[in-house]
C-alpha cells in the first residue's frame, strides 16, 4: 500500500516525462524504532514520540536532494487492532510536524499483512512485508530510484536484510541521534 504527498509540480506539463525518466536517489526510513519510539502497535499521533534527531535527519535528506520515503510493516491492521486509515493518519500527522522545520516525507509505503492475522483480507504471507522487498520495488519503479545510490535506515536486522535484498545501502540505527547517523552515513 502506498500514499504519496501530492505537491504541485513547478514544471510545465511537457516537462513531466523528462523528469520522470531521470533516476533519483532515495533514503527509505523504517518507522517504529527508527523515526519514533517503538511502542506496541502505534496508530495514534498522541502516542507518537520522535526519536532524537529524526526530524533533522529527514530534513538533511530533503536538503541534499534525496527522496525521503517511509517504509513500514503495520501488522496491527491484519491483527484487527486498527484500520489502514490510522496508518495514513499518523503519516499525515508526521508530515504536519515536519513542516515546522521545512522537512517532509515524500511517500508512505506500508504492509498491512501478517500470516497470523485475524482479519481475513490481510491474513497472508506477502513480499511487501519486510524483509521482503515488495514495498521498495514498488517505490523504485514509481519514482525511478537508483538503488545503488540509495539507502535504507532501520533499527532491525530485518530492515538490513531488506536493504541488502533490494540493493540498497543499509544504515542500522542503534540509538542516539538519528541525524548523526544519517549525516555520517549518506554520501552527498
Amino acid at each position: 500500500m502506498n500514499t504519496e504527498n501530492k505537491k504541485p509540480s513547478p514544471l510545465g506539463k511537457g516537462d513531466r516525462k523528462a523528469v520522470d525518466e531521470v533516476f533519483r536517489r532515495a533514503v527509505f526510513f523504517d518507522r517504529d524504532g527508527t523515526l519514533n519510539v517503538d511502542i506496541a502497535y502505534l496508530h495514534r499521533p498522541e502516542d507518537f514520540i520522535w526519536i532524537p534527531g529524526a526530524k533533522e535527519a529527514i530534513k538533511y535528506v530533503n536538503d541534499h536532494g534525496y527522496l525521503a520515503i517511509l517504509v513500514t510493516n503495520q501488522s496491527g491492521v491484519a491483527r484487527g487492532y486498527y484500520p489502514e486509515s490510522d496508518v495514513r493518519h499518523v503519516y499525515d500527522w508526521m508530515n504536519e510536524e515536519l513542516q515546522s522545520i521545512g522537512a517532509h516525507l515524500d511517500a508512505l509505503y506500508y504492509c498491512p499483512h501478517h500470516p497470523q492475522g485475524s482479519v481475513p483480507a490481510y491474513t497472508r504471507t506477502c513480499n511487501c512485508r519486510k524483509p521482503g522487498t515488495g514495498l521498495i520495488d514498488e517505490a523504485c519503479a514509481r519514482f525511478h530510484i537508483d538503488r545503488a545510490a540509495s539507502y535504507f535506515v532501520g533499527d532491525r536486522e530485518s530492515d538490513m536484510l531488506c536493504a541488502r535484498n533490494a540493493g540498497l545501502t543499509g544504515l542500522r540505527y542503534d540509538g542516539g541521534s538519528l541525524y548523526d547517523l544519517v549525516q555520517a552515513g549518506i554520501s552527498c
Side-chain angles (χ1 to χ4, degrees):
M1 303 292 168
N2 78 72
T3 303
E4 299 168 24
N5 279 344
K6 305 296 184 203
K7 292 183 240 163
S9 172
L11 305 171
K13 287 183 181 179
D15 296 330
R16 188 81 225 146
K17 183 176 181 193
V19 171
D20 281 347
E21 292 174 357
V22 173
F23 281 96
R24 299 175 178 141
R25 302 177 302 170
V27 177
F28 296 90
F29 289 96
D30 171 52
R31 192 186 81 179
D32 301 324
T34 303
L35 294 180
N36 61 277
V37 174
D38 191 0
I39 64 167
Y41 305 106
L42 172 73
H43 65 282
R44 300 179 324 163
E46 55 266 29
D47 296 329
F48 192 104
I49 301 169
W50 288 96
I51 290 286
K55 290 182 194 178
E56 295 78 7
I58 294 167
K59 181 163 177 35
Y60 181 83
V61 165
N62 296 154
D63 290 348
H64 288 87
Y66 287 85
L67 294 170
I69 300 174
L70 184 60
V71 179
T72 179
N73 289 341
Q74 292 297 313
S75 70
V77 174
R79 297 172 194 275
Y81 298 156
Y82 51 87
E84 283 189 70
S85 60
D86 283 1
V87 178
R88 290 187 294 273
H89 179 66
V90 169
Y91 169 76
D92 291 341
W93 176 87
M94 291 171 70
N95 264 322
E96 289 171 13
E97 288 278 302
L98 289 166
Q99 285 177 353
S100 69
I101 64 164
H104 66 275
L105 292 164
D106 291 289
L108 163 66
Y109 287 82
Y110 66 96
C111 175
H113 310 116
H114 196 276
Q116 283 85 45
S118 61
V119 179
Y122 299 107
T123 302
R124 65 178 173 196
T125 300
C126 64
N127 187 39
C128 65
R129 183 169 178 76
K130 296 179 295 174
T133 62
L135 299 175
I136 301 287
D137 296 340
E138 187 178 343
C140 287
R142 164 63 184 97
F143 290 105
H144 306 280
I145 293 170
D146 179 354
R147 293 172 193 247
S150 296
Y151 300 84
F152 190 107
V153 182
D155 67 317
R156 297 176 184 248
E157 183 53 35
S158 60
D159 296 324
M160 298 302 96
L161 181 57
C162 180
R164 284 191 296 277
N165 291 343
L168 306 171
T169 300
L171 297 175
R172 178 91 181 245
Y173 175 72
D174 289 319
S177 170
L178 188 64
Y179 172 79
D180 291 346
L181 173 72
V182 168
Q183 184 184 34
I186 293 179
S187 301
C188 293

